[in-house]
Amino acid sequence: MKEQLKNVAISAQQALESVKDQQELEALRVRFLGKKGELTAILKQMGSLSPEERPVIGQLANETRAQIEAVIAEKSAQFKSATASEKLRKETIDVTMPGSKKAMGKKHPLNLVLDEIKEIFLGMGFDVAEGPEVELDYYNFEALNIPKDHPARDTQDTFYITDNILLRTQTSPVQVRTMEKQKPPIRVISPGRVFRSDAVDATHSPVFHQIEGLVVDKGVTMGDLKGTLADFAKRLYGEDAVVRFRPHHFPFTEPSAEMDTMCFNCGGKGCRLCKGEGWIEILGCGMVHPKVLANCGIDPEEYSGFAFGMGLERLVMRRFNIDDLRLFYENDQRFLDQF
Ligand code: DAH
């Protein structure tokens, strides 16, 4: 039995030397020291020994067990400290590494200028009104004094959905919807998307944006229109902005006009930006046609009003000297980053 114990001690020593991890170590502990382990198997034969041999072998067995236990404890400690330092190594933070910068989003140039325009009109006491993009023919044309055979319909190549339903070609239908819902005094602007079946090029897009304006009250005059819009131009382009009004025609206003600003690039002398004109067209406007007021249930004998409409893209293009409208919709990061 002495021989057997010695052999167990040797094979345990050898096996433990090449153990690679905590799991293997546990397997070896079971193999040598477990209830069905090799050492236990030897001790089970103790009964066959003589009373003199028993304490000698017993002591030897205890020593062997203690020896094996000591090696296991030592190995286990080694593994534990190796795992701990591996964990520390993995979690090390290199504070000298450059930080990763989060890219900040920016406002789209169309929204940048739209927000400015909204702010100007809100400051003048206007509200913001909205209307549907899919609109009835009635609101887009009929109620605005543009009957079925009116030539103005040809200039606005309309996307029809049915005979009566279309994609709005202008934000003017919001005027009608507002006047139907709200009694004067009315002061609203209505920005939004509009649609025309135009082929895409540097100055045309089937989807673009307009900002509509409407003021209705007792005693509103052309003087109020001119004052309000000239003031708007100053707030948008600066105190020395000069404007002029040219007679024009719109079916829903009478009289109608277009407002130009003196070219802020050449100061009226004529340049590439204003195409040699010295003036740049900003918006269409006029006194709301009595028929339009009446269509909306507002008595034109009692009330009068003015309206205006401008294209957002064109304003923004001039503002930032952008010569291709498509840039607004392509969302090229290099373009957007410039604003
Ligand atoms: N709706 C017109 C257009 O699309 C713009 C316009 C002109 C709107 C005069 C108005 C206005 O409200 O009074 O060309």
Side-chain angles (χ1 to χ4, degrees):
M1 272 184 81
K2 261 191 190 160
E3 201 60 25
Q4 282 182 322
L5 283 171
K6 220 182 265 170
N7 285 342
V8 169
I10 290 168
S11 64
Q13 194 73 41
Q14 279 171 350
L16 284 167
E17 244 159 48
S18 59
V19 72
K20 279 196 293 292
D21 57 30
Q22 200 77 39
Q23 257 172 310
E24 270 183 42
L25 189 65
E26 175 60 14
L28 288 181
R29 193 190 61 76
V30 173
R31 178 176 145 198
F32 291 108
L33 307 178
K35 273 191 194 133
K36 292 176 182 160
E38 291 182 20
L39 191 66
T40 322
I42 296 168
L43 294 177
K44 277 186 185 145
Q45 304 163 33
M46 292 273 278
S48 62
L49 294 177
S50 67
E52 298 83 49
E53 283 172 319
R54 227 173 273 164
V56 182
I57 294 297
Q59 200 195 340
L60 191 62
N62 281 340
E63 277 168 20
T64 308
R65 167 177 289 276
Q67 226 175 42
I68 297 174
E69 273 173 349
V71 179
I72 288 178
E74 188 193 326
K75 285 275 172 194
S76 173
Q78 274 172 18
F79 287 139
K80 273 194 190 127
S81 89
T83 342
S85 43
E86 172 69 6
K87 198 173 169 221
L88 279 178
R89 195 187 60 74
K90 275 193 189 148
E91 287 174 3
T92 306
I93 294 167
D94 182 353
V95 292
T96 65
M97 292 269 284
S100 63
K101 199 176 162 199
K102 293 269 176 293
M104 281 286 280
K106 284 190 180 165
K107 259 189 210 170
H108 190 281
L110 289 178
N111 278 324
L112 208 73
V113 176
L114 175 58
D115 284 354
E116 237 174 81
I117 293 174
K118 274 189 193 164
E119 208 53 51
I120 292 172
F121 282 108
L122 287 176
M124 294 182 182
F126 282 68
D127 286 325
V128 176
E130 282 190 6
E133 291 174 352
V134 177
E135 188 52 286
L136 291 171
D137 182 284
Y138 174 76
Y139 288 106
N140 195 79
F141 291 127
E142 207 83 22
L144 288 165
N145 201 27
I146 315 174
K148 282 265 190 274
D149 54 356
H150 197 285
R153 289 197 179 209
D154 301 339
T155 61
Q156 304 195 356
D157 296 307
T158 311
F159 286 116
Y160 278 95
I161 293 167
T162 68
D163 271 357
N164 283 325
I165 301 172
L166 44 76
L167 296 182
R168 67 179 179 189
T169 60
Q170 48 186 359
T171 43
S172 303
V174 187
Q175 283 189 29
V176 181
R177 288 183 174 275
T178 305
M179 285 190 277
E180 277 185 355
K181 277 198 300 255
Q182 195 183 327
K183 292 303 132 197
I186 294 171
R187 271 196 300 264
V188 291
I189 56 160
S190 181
R193 279 198 289 194
V194 298
F195 308 83
R196 291 184 196 180
S197 102
D198 281 324
V200 176
D201 64 25
T203 53
H204 292 87
S205 159
V207 186
F208 58 103
H209 299 77
Q210 284 187 340
I211 302 155
E212 192 76 14
L214 173 71
V215 172
V216 183
D217 203 350
K218 284 185 176 147
V220 175
T221 66
M222 192 83 184
D224 296 315
L225 176 157
K226 289 177 79 172
T228 306
L229 295 178
D231 192 38
F232 161 69
K234 284 188 194 305
R235 294 193 200 204
L236 188 66
Y237 293 115
E239 229 7 80
D240 12 286
V242 179
V243 296
R244 73 172 183 192
F245 291 83
R246 270 182 297 107
H248 200 75
H249 172 78
F250 297 105
F252 33 88
T253 45
E254 182 57 37
S256 305
E258 278 188 332
M259 183 177 87
D260 303 333
T261 60
M262 190 179 281
C263 179
F264 32 79
N265 194 41
C266 62
K269 286 200 276 296
C271 66
R272 206 179 70 94
L273 187 70
C274 58
K275 299 198 180 81
E277 295 277 318
W279 295 87
I280 291 172
E281 184 220 315
I282 297 291
L283 50 79
C285 57
M287 300 306 291
V288 182
H289 199 292
K291 274 196 194 164
V292 176
L293 290 174
N295 285 342
C296 305
I298 292 177
D299 182 0
E301 296 296 326
E302 197 180 349
Y303 293 102
S304 57
F306 68 84
F308 53 93
M310 58 192 124
L312 180 60
E313 277 79 353
R314 284 208 301 174
L315 280 179
V316 181
M317 284 169 84
R318 289 203 201 97
R319 172 67 159 284
F320 297 117
N321 226 330
I322 296 164
D323 58 7
D324 196 327
L325 179 104
R326 287 168 286 201
L327 287 164
F328 289 135
Y329 314 116
E330 285 163 355
N331 286 329
D332 186 325
Q333 196 74 39
R334 291 166 301 182
F335 171 73
L336 297 176
D337 272 346
Q338 296 176 48
F339 301 94

